[in-house]
Amino acid sequence: MNDDLDFDIDEFLTKPLFAHLATASSAGPRESPVWFLWEEGALWLIGNHGDSFPKRLRNEPRCAVGIVDFDLAKGTLRHVGIRGIASIEPLDDQRLYRLLQRYLGADPADWNPSFRSLVIDHLDLMVRIRPESIVARDQSYFSNASPHRYVP
């Protein structure tokens, strides 16, 4: 795997950021915003058999994922891009909890009951993306407030 990393991706990928999954379809490219978990050198996503992105990944497992952490006030802009191969995996309850608690909090009793019944209770698969390449760019120099300010 060719990695081009400006910063530690393990630390970056612990943040509850949104990922954007790019897939191919017979009608052209598609993009899906997804929650993720970075474990065991792979990106894990959640879904169900009715979702369109797992269907597309079954037909064409090559995909790309972009994850951005942007804070204008702090002048930070970091991006991780992953290109890899996806596989559809059985739902792992413990991994599912680790993924959800990043976004919803540690105690499932505090999670919104409507969200649980409409979304979480229907999850029945996980997508594992094994990276073939990873790029991590720190482009924080764009802002005058940033300590990484670009000076030509």
Side-chain angles (χ1 to χ4, degrees):
M1 172 173 34
N2 290 335
D3 293 343
D4 190 2
L5 310 176
D6 286 355
F7 54 88
D8 179 5
I9 64 164
D10 291 324
E11 179 183 337
F12 177 86
L13 295 174
T14 63
K15 297 179 180 185
L17 301 169
F18 268 87
H20 292 272
L21 171 67
T23 57
S25 78
S26 59
R30 299 291 183 261
E31 183 271 342
S32 303
V34 292
W35 288 351
F36 68 91
L37 179 67
W38 176 252
E39 277 188 351
E40 301 174 0
L43 205 61
W44 294 86
L45 314 177
I46 49 176
N48 69 59
H49 284 85
D51 289 336
S52 57
F53 72 87
K55 293 175 186 175
R56 290 191 299 272
L57 291 169
R58 279 191 183 91
N59 291 329
E60 173 54 79
R62 294 177 300 169
C63 60
V65 178
I67 305 163
V68 175
D69 187 8
F70 173 69
D71 186 326
L72 181 60
K74 292 181 181 175
T76 57
L77 173 58
R78 288 184 169 181
H79 167 265
V80 169
I82 297 173
R83 292 179 194 94
I85 304 296
S87 59
I88 308 303
E89 308 284 339
L91 190 67
D92 176 319
D93 289 334
Q94 292 176 349
R95 184 170 279 131
L96 172 64
Y97 169 75
R98 290 191 300 274
L99 188 154
L100 291 174
Q101 63 91 27
R102 290 165 31 96
Y103 297 92
L104 302 174
D107 187 353
D110 294 336
W111 299 353
N112 181 298
S114 295
F115 185 74
R116 285 187 73 120
S117 65
L118 293 172
V119 177
I120 296 172
D121 292 347
H122 298 281
L123 297 171
D124 60 7
L125 61 81
M126 300 193 94
V127 174
R128 180 180 186 180
I129 300 174
R130 292 180 181 92
E132 292 189 327
S133 67
I134 300 174
V135 175
R137 292 280 183 252
D138 186 344
Q139 297 175 317
S140 297
Y141 56 79
F142 77 94
S143 168
N144 286 336
S146 172
H148 304 287
R149 206 164 101 197
Y150 175 73
V151 180

